[in-house]
Amino acid sequence: MAAKGDGGGDPGRGMDLLWGAADRPSRGPKPRLSIDQITRTAVEIADAEGLGAVSMQRIAATFGFTTMSLYRYVPGKAELVALMVDTAIGERPDLDAVPGGWRDRLAQWARQCLRVFTRRPWLLEATSGHRVMGPNELGWMDAALAVLAEAGFTPVEQHDAFLLVAGHVRSVAQYTAGADTLRVDEWSAAVGERLSRHPDRFPAVVAAIQGGGYAKAADEPLEFGLRCLLAGLDELLA
Amino acid sequence: MAAKGDGGGDPGRGMDLLWGAADRPSRGPKPRLSIDQITRTAVEIADAEGLGAVSMQRIAATFGFTTMSLYRYVPGKAELVALMVDTAIGERPDLDAVPGGWRDRLAQWARQCLRVFTRRPWLLEATSGHRVMGPNELGWMDAALAVLAEAGFTPVEQHDAFLLVAGHVRSVAQYTAGADTLRVDEWSAAVGERLSRHPDRFPAVVAAIQGGGYAKAADEPLEFGLRCLLAGLDELLA
DNA sequence: CAAGAACTGTATATAACATAAACAAAACTG
DNA sequence: CAGTTTTGTTTATGTTATATACAGTTCTTG
């Protein structure tokens, strides 16, 4: 068992860290590092160079420590990434001050959530797959569920609606994150070349591209989706 | 430049493979393998044991070949994964026979797409991040865009709506895929334990759980989202 | 206050990974 | 038939995560 992503393992360990149930032992030498420090450094590396640049060696080297020293603070890399995620997501948003009804509050939630993902594109990679939710992430969820509950949705509906909105935000974030790396123009050109060789195989795509369906402002897709979602949710409420 | 995920590189190489522009040379010995064979085997491994089990060594060993032999057929692992994705996604769905209007056709698209992701959860991992779309994937997109175009949406709206629906499918797939691995009950229990220690910090989550917001059938979230989305889109059309 | 237990950080080692480079055999082409 | 091209192998490199054993440090306990 080495290298990456095995998946099997005690989920409790990571959660203890995430939820801060660590009681400092009083025997040995004073630790010269801390989970917080390590996590913050890892986040900085990810911010600057992406999640791929985050390795145990790299983090340790930043402190001038050996790689293995980190394992005194973190059971493994998966747990560290979980910590990074919860740290990077940050405090839950405060939606109480948002003027308007529940629709405006939920839209605001989505916008702020998108901003988090946009600022740190590596969060998309880091949060794909099933994970243990940290307190911050659960806080974000709580904020959204509170809005939905107040609006009058049933618990099941609250959950479904949350999944819907959060999924949309992720989706937009993924779309726009890629648009930074690979210009949409390049993509259109590259695909367009192949497309022109198979003219009748993807007629709708060709038509949409020629109709200008791929040039738009950054947060246009987010707002479009929100309009649809909120309208649909509203209708369901009545 | 070694190990995983560097990201930089000529996107053209992979696309040549994806879009099947390979002309067989007639000089050397007959190749005893083929891209198709390699891709299919890789998909089988991923189907059986997940994407993490797919390594060049593993694939080569299946044929009784050396690891490096694969590099005569594929420029690198990233390109192979791209091939796997397009193979695994499969042929575009035929929506012409779907009775009803554009809403029913789009819903059918979403259901079939979800089935693909459900059957092969590793597709979620493999398709996160920005990629070059293969012909099959573009076919799926074309199918959806065609429905939206026929319904009367503008090219920009077509694209936004596609992103919205596809994102929802992904979101649901991710949710249910995790539910297989980690039972929802376990999750509720694990989180619930922590939750009970912070009773007033996540009131909405607690209320939703106690209201039964987390016990539901597998494709319930998909249908819920579709109802909202389609209603919203319909409203926008008018 | 001394002995020992517990903890920290290190050194060393392992296994898995992707992939580069050089080479031998094979097959077609002139 | 000689030469060129291509295949598959061999060998080697660099990067991962992480297990294990150890040396030094600090508190607790007799």
Side-chain angles (χ1 to χ4, degrees), chain A residues 60-93:
Chain A
T62 309
F63 294 118
F65 277 53
T66 61
T67 306
M68 291 311 292
S69 64
L70 302 185
Y71 287 90
R72 293 287 168 201
Y73 299 86
V74 170
K77 198 189 179 182
E79 289 81 357
L80 176 57
V81 172
L83 284 168
M84 289 173 64
V85 167
D86 211 60
T87 300
I89 284 178
E91 290 274 308
R92 66 187 289 173

Side-chain angles (χ1 to χ4, degrees), chain B:
Chain B
M1 185 189 308
K4 65 166 176 177
D6 59 300
D10 183 15
R13 286 292 297 161
M15 285 195 46
D16 283 345
L17 272 180
L18 264 179
W19 290 83
D23 41 344
R24 212 304 209 69
S26 61
R27 272 310 173 105
K30 280 184 187 169
R32 283 143 65 198
L33 292 175
S34 71
I35 304 178
D36 262 29
Q37 229 179 329
I38 292 171
T39 306
R40 264 200 309 272
T41 300
V43 167
E44 278 168 23
I45 295 172
D47 283 347
E49 302 172 48
L51 194 62
V54 176
S55 71
M56 302 306 259
Q57 6 267 321
R58 177 70 185 277
I59 300 168
T62 309
F63 295 117
F65 277 55
T66 61
T67 305
M68 291 309 293
S69 64
L70 301 185
Y71 288 91
R72 293 286 170 201
Y73 299 88
V74 169
K77 199 190 178 183
E79 289 82 356
L80 176 56
V81 172
L83 285 168
M84 289 173 63
V85 167
D86 210 61
T87 301
I89 283 178
E91 291 275 307
R92 66 187 288 172
D94 182 12
L95 304 172
D96 292 340
V98 175
W102 64 270
R103 277 190 249 82
D104 302 278
R105 274 196 283 283
L106 200 59
Q108 199 55 36
W109 184 93
R111 287 186 200 106
Q112 290 192 228
C113 189
L114 178 62
R115 203 155 54 195
V116 170
F117 278 113
T118 304
R119 257 194 232 283
R120 307 192 205 254
W122 56 269
L123 271 176
L124 286 165
E125 265 178 271
T127 57
S128 79
H130 232 282
R131 294 159 300 111
V132 178
M133 256 171 153
N136 279 342
E137 195 174 355
L138 201 63
W140 277 81
M141 185 175 174
D142 194 78
L145 288 186
V147 171
L148 289 163
E150 184 207 23
F153 289 100
T154 71
V156 171
E157 287 169 343
Q158 288 169 39
H159 182 253
D160 286 348
F162 169 74
L163 191 70
L164 185 58
V165 175
H168 178 54
V169 171
R170 268 193 81 93
S171 179
V172 171
Q174 189 135 352
Y175 174 71
T176 58
D180 287 346
T181 309
L182 189 73
R183 287 307 308 161
V184 175
D185 307 335
E186 289 179 35
W187 183 84
S188 293
V191 170
E193 199 208 323
R194 312 285 159 165
L195 238 45
S196 57
R197 227 173 281 171
H198 306 266
D200 50 345
R201 205 166 146 196
F202 309 102
V205 173
V206 170
I209 288 179
Q210 287 175 349
Y214 288 85
K216 63 173 63 73
D219 44 20
E220 209 269 317
L222 196 255
E223 297 299 331
F224 176 91
L226 283 180
R227 266 199 304 280
C228 291
L229 291 184
L230 296 175
L233 285 172
D234 205 22
E235 193 167 309
L236 191 121
L237 209 54

Side-chain angles (χ1 to χ4, degrees), chain A residues 159-206:
Chain A
H159 182 253
D160 285 348
F162 169 74
L163 191 69
L164 185 58
V165 175
H168 177 54
V169 171
R170 268 193 81 92
S171 181
V172 171
Q174 189 135 353
Y175 174 71
T176 57
D180 288 345
T181 309
L182 189 73
R183 288 304 313 158
V184 175
D185 308 335
E186 289 180 33
W187 184 86
S188 291
V191 170
E193 198 208 325
R194 312 287 157 162
L195 237 45
S196 57
R197 227 173 279 169
H198 307 266
D200 51 345
R201 207 169 145 194
F202 310 102
V205 173
V206 170

